[in-house]
């Protein structure tokens, strides 16, 4: 007769974690746990991306702010230089005519304001701080202190 065919025994496999997990919790729980792990990875990736974009935006805005400050500083310097030159010229004209033509001073100040759009009002003060002439009539007669003029304590 024929001899029986001997079937080799299956080698013993080591149990895998996934197999144990599936055995304990079922297939649905394993899928749920895998989905949570993938969701957590996506969330971490998104957080890193958002942080990098925020850092880039802050850097760009700081550069833009520095440029604006530089531009405003230049404009302010030019405006102050123009104001200084205008007031210097007006002061020289008034001094050259002398204080006897005091009634014409407000008219000259009005003309200065009209010609220099960067000036809103011009007033002349005596050494005590009294407004003796102004392009804005209600200012005449007011007394200004050194602190109000930004010159320090009286």
């Amino acid at each position: 007769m024929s001899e029986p065919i001997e079937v080799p025994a299956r080698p013993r496999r080591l149990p895998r974690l996934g197999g144990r997990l599936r055995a304990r919790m079922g297939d649905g729980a394993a899928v749920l746990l895998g989905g949570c792990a993938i969701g957590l990875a996506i969330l971490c990736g998104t957080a890193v991306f958002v942080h990098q974009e925020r850092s880039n935006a802050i850097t760009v805005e700081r550069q833009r702010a520095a440029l604006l400050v530089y531009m405003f500083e230049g404009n302010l310097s030019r405006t102050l230089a123009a104001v200084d030159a205008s007031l210097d010229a007006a002061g020289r004209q008034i001094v050259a005519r002398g204080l006897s033509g005091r009634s014409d001073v407000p008219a000259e100040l009005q003309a200065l304001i009209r010609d220099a759009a960067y000036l809103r009002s011009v007033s002349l003060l005596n050494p005590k701080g009294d407004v003796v002439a102004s392009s804005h009539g209600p200012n005449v007669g007011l007394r200004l202190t050194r602190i109000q003029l930004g010159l320090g304590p009286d």
Side-chain angles (χ1 to χ4, degrees), residues 62-82:
R62 282 187 177 158
Q63 290 171 348
R64 184 177 294 153
L67 179 64
L68 286 174
V69 166
Y70 178 74
M71 185 179 69
F72 289 146
E73 182 183 19
N75 287 340
L76 180 63
S77 295
R78 282 190 297 275
T79 301
L80 290 177

mmCIF file of all heavy atoms in Angstrom, residues 62-82:
data_model
loop_
_atom_site.group_PDB
_atom_site.id
_atom_site.type_symbol
_atom_site.label_atom_id
_atom_site.label_comp_id
_atom_site.label_asym_id
_atom_site.label_seq_id
_atom_site.Cartn_x
_atom_site.Cartn_y
_atom_site.Cartn_z
ATOM 1 N N ARG A 62 6.526 93.316 9.945
ATOM 2 C CA ARG A 62 7.574 94.114 10.594
ATOM 3 C C ARG A 62 8.414 94.846 9.556
ATOM 4 O O ARG A 62 8.794 95.999 9.755
ATOM 5 C CB ARG A 62 8.463 93.226 11.464
ATOM 6 C CG ARG A 62 7.821 92.875 12.775
ATOM 7 C CD ARG A 62 8.757 92.160 13.689
ATOM 8 N NE ARG A 62 8.095 91.927 14.958
ATOM 9 C CZ ARG A 62 8.444 91.012 15.814
ATOM 10 N NH1 ARG A 62 9.474 90.232 15.557
ATOM 11 N NH2 ARG A 62 7.800 90.863 16.940
ATOM 12 N N GLN A 63 8.705 94.192 8.451
ATOM 13 C CA GLN A 63 9.456 94.847 7.382
ATOM 14 C C GLN A 63 8.643 95.993 6.784
ATOM 15 O O GLN A 63 9.175 97.070 6.506
ATOM 16 C CB GLN A 63 9.835 93.840 6.294
ATOM 17 C CG GLN A 63 10.875 92.843 6.733
ATOM 18 C CD GLN A 63 11.076 91.719 5.727
ATOM 19 O OE1 GLN A 63 10.286 91.557 4.795
ATOM 20 N NE2 GLN A 63 12.120 90.936 5.922
ATOM 21 N N ARG A 64 7.347 95.772 6.594
ATOM 22 C CA ARG A 64 6.479 96.818 6.059
ATOM 23 C C ARG A 64 6.388 97.993 7.032
ATOM 24 O O ARG A 64 6.426 99.151 6.619
ATOM 25 C CB ARG A 64 5.091 96.250 5.784
ATOM 26 C CG ARG A 64 4.154 97.258 5.145
ATOM 27 C CD ARG A 64 2.819 96.675 4.807
ATOM 28 N NE ARG A 64 2.986 95.681 3.761
ATOM 29 C CZ ARG A 64 2.177 94.653 3.591
ATOM 30 N NH1 ARG A 64 1.147 94.486 4.371
ATOM 31 N NH2 ARG A 64 2.385 93.793 2.616
ATOM 32 N N ALA A 65 6.289 97.707 8.317
ATOM 33 C CA ALA A 65 6.227 98.773 9.319
ATOM 34 C C ALA A 65 7.519 99.579 9.337
ATOM 35 O O ALA A 65 7.477 100.810 9.442
ATOM 36 C CB ALA A 65 5.953 98.183 10.705
ATOM 37 N N ALA A 66 8.655 98.898 9.223
ATOM 38 C CA ALA A 66 9.935 99.621 9.192
ATOM 39 C C ALA A 66 10.006 100.539 7.970
ATOM 40 O O ALA A 66 10.501 101.670 8.060
ATOM 41 C CB ALA A 66 11.097 98.628 9.187
ATOM 42 N N LEU A 67 9.501 100.067 6.838
ATOM 43 C CA LEU A 67 9.492 100.891 5.626
ATOM 44 C C LEU A 67 8.582 102.106 5.800
ATOM 45 O O LEU A 67 8.939 103.228 5.420
ATOM 46 C CB LEU A 67 9.038 100.052 4.430
ATOM 47 C CG LEU A 67 8.949 100.775 3.089
ATOM 48 C CD1 LEU A 67 10.326 101.251 2.648
ATOM 49 C CD2 LEU A 67 8.347 99.847 2.048
ATOM 50 N N LEU A 68 7.407 101.909 6.394
ATOM 51 C CA LEU A 68 6.489 103.028 6.626
ATOM 52 C C LEU A 68 7.085 104.053 7.591
ATOM 53 O O LEU A 68 6.949 105.254 7.381
ATOM 54 C CB LEU A 68 5.155 102.516 7.164
ATOM 55 C CG LEU A 68 4.249 101.821 6.146
ATOM 56 C CD1 LEU A 68 3.032 101.226 6.835
ATOM 57 C CD2 LEU A 68 3.829 102.763 5.058
ATOM 58 N N VAL A 69 7.745 103.564 8.635
ATOM 59 C CA VAL A 69 8.378 104.483 9.586
ATOM 60 C C VAL A 69 9.445 105.305 8.879
ATOM 61 O O VAL A 69 9.538 106.519 9.074
ATOM 62 C CB VAL A 69 8.971 103.706 10.777
ATOM 63 C CG1 VAL A 69 9.919 104.575 11.592
ATOM 64 C CG2 VAL A 69 7.863 103.174 11.663
ATOM 65 N N TYR A 70 10.239 104.666 8.048
ATOM 66 C CA TYR A 70 11.280 105.366 7.304
ATOM 67 C C TYR A 70 10.660 106.419 6.380
ATOM 68 O O TYR A 70 11.131 107.553 6.306
ATOM 69 C CB TYR A 70 12.101 104.356 6.500
ATOM 70 C CG TYR A 70 13.167 104.970 5.648
ATOM 71 C CD1 TYR A 70 14.328 105.472 6.212
ATOM 72 C CD2 TYR A 70 13.013 105.058 4.268
ATOM 73 C CE1 TYR A 70 15.307 106.048 5.434
ATOM 74 C CE2 TYR A 70 13.991 105.630 3.485
ATOM 75 C CZ TYR A 70 15.139 106.125 4.068
ATOM 76 O OH TYR A 70 16.093 106.694 3.289
ATOM 77 N N MET A 71 9.567 106.047 5.717
ATOM 78 C CA MET A 71 8.896 106.970 4.798
ATOM 79 C C MET A 71 8.280 108.144 5.558
ATOM 80 O O MET A 71 8.435 109.306 5.160
ATOM 81 C CB MET A 71 7.807 106.214 4.036
ATOM 82 C CG MET A 71 7.107 107.021 2.977
ATOM 83 S SD MET A 71 5.872 106.064 2.105
ATOM 84 C CE MET A 71 4.650 105.826 3.365
ATOM 85 N N PHE A 72 7.585 107.862 6.675
ATOM 86 C CA PHE A 72 6.973 108.936 7.461
ATOM 87 C C PHE A 72 8.029 109.857 8.060
ATOM 88 O O PHE A 72 7.822 111.063 8.151
ATOM 89 C CB PHE A 72 6.092 108.372 8.568
ATOM 90 C CG PHE A 72 4.825 107.746 8.073
ATOM 91 C CD1 PHE A 72 4.280 106.647 8.710
ATOM 92 C CD2 PHE A 72 4.164 108.250 6.964
ATOM 93 C CE1 PHE A 72 3.116 106.069 8.253
ATOM 94 C CE2 PHE A 72 2.999 107.677 6.501
ATOM 95 C CZ PHE A 72 2.474 106.581 7.157
ATOM 96 N N GLU A 73 9.153 109.286 8.469
ATOM 97 C CA GLU A 73 10.223 110.109 9.029
ATOM 98 C C GLU A 73 10.751 111.085 7.975
ATOM 99 O O GLU A 73 10.981 112.261 8.257
ATOM 100 C CB GLU A 73 11.351 109.222 9.537
ATOM 101 C CG GLU A 73 12.478 109.991 10.178
ATOM 102 C CD GLU A 73 13.617 109.095 10.621
ATOM 103 O OE1 GLU A 73 13.710 107.954 10.139
ATOM 104 O OE2 GLU A 73 14.416 109.555 11.441
ATOM 105 N N GLY A 74 10.909 110.609 6.747
ATOM 106 C CA GLY A 74 11.356 111.484 5.661
ATOM 107 C C GLY A 74 10.354 112.580 5.373
ATOM 108 O O GLY A 74 10.725 113.755 5.211
ATOM 109 N N ASN A 75 9.078 112.223 5.315
ATOM 110 C CA ASN A 75 8.037 113.231 5.058
ATOM 111 C C ASN A 75 7.960 114.251 6.191
ATOM 112 O O ASN A 75 7.814 115.452 5.943
ATOM 113 C CB ASN A 75 6.678 112.563 4.868
ATOM 114 C CG ASN A 75 6.569 111.853 3.541
ATOM 115 O OD1 ASN A 75 7.311 112.136 2.617
ATOM 116 N ND2 ASN A 75 5.645 110.917 3.451
ATOM 117 N N LEU A 76 8.053 113.784 7.420
ATOM 118 C CA LEU A 76 7.995 114.691 8.558
ATOM 119 C C LEU A 76 9.194 115.636 8.559
ATOM 120 O O LEU A 76 9.057 116.836 8.815
ATOM 121 C CB LEU A 76 7.951 113.898 9.866
ATOM 122 C CG LEU A 76 7.886 114.735 11.140
ATOM 123 C CD1 LEU A 76 6.598 115.545 11.185
ATOM 124 C CD2 LEU A 76 8.022 113.855 12.355
ATOM 125 N N SER A 77 10.366 115.109 8.249
ATOM 126 C CA SER A 77 11.564 115.959 8.199
ATOM 127 C C SER A 77 11.421 117.044 7.140
ATOM 128 O O SER A 77 11.754 118.218 7.388
ATOM 129 C CB SER A 77 12.805 115.110 7.903
ATOM 130 O OG SER A 77 13.038 114.218 8.952
ATOM 131 N N ARG A 78 10.915 116.680 5.964
ATOM 132 C CA ARG A 78 10.724 117.676 4.908
ATOM 133 C C ARG A 78 9.679 118.713 5.308
ATOM 134 O O ARG A 78 9.847 119.913 5.060
ATOM 135 C CB ARG A 78 10.329 116.994 3.599
ATOM 136 C CG ARG A 78 11.483 116.362 2.869
ATOM 137 C CD ARG A 78 11.091 115.918 1.485
ATOM 138 N NE ARG A 78 10.071 114.890 1.477
ATOM 139 C CZ ARG A 78 10.316 113.586 1.593
ATOM 140 N NH1 ARG A 78 11.545 113.162 1.729
ATOM 141 N NH2 ARG A 78 9.329 112.720 1.574
ATOM 142 N N THR A 79 8.594 118.279 5.931
ATOM 143 C CA THR A 79 7.544 119.207 6.356
ATOM 144 C C THR A 79 8.067 120.171 7.415
ATOM 145 O O THR A 79 7.815 121.377 7.350
ATOM 146 C CB THR A 79 6.316 118.440 6.880
ATOM 147 O OG1 THR A 79 5.834 117.584 5.845
ATOM 148 C CG2 THR A 79 5.216 119.376 7.326
ATOM 149 N N LEU A 80 8.801 119.648 8.389
ATOM 150 C CA LEU A 80 9.347 120.520 9.425
ATOM 151 C C LEU A 80 10.366 121.500 8.851
ATOM 152 O O LEU A 80 10.425 122.659 9.281
ATOM 153 C CB LEU A 80 9.980 119.685 10.546
ATOM 154 C CG LEU A 80 8.994 118.910 11.424
ATOM 155 C CD1 LEU A 80 9.734 118.080 12.444
ATOM 156 C CD2 LEU A 80 8.000 119.833 12.091
ATOM 157 N N ALA A 81 11.143 121.049 7.888
ATOM 158 C CA ALA A 81 12.095 121.960 7.244
ATOM 159 C C ALA A 81 11.351 123.065 6.492
ATOM 160 O O ALA A 81 11.758 124.236 6.538
ATOM 161 C CB ALA A 81 13.005 121.184 6.295
ATOM 162 N N ALA A 82 10.247 122.714 5.815
ATOM 163 C CA ALA A 82 9.464 123.717 5.096
ATOM 164 C C ALA A 82 8.811 124.698 6.070
ATOM 165 O O ALA A 82 8.784 125.914 5.816
ATOM 166 C CB ALA A 82 8.400 123.041 4.229
#
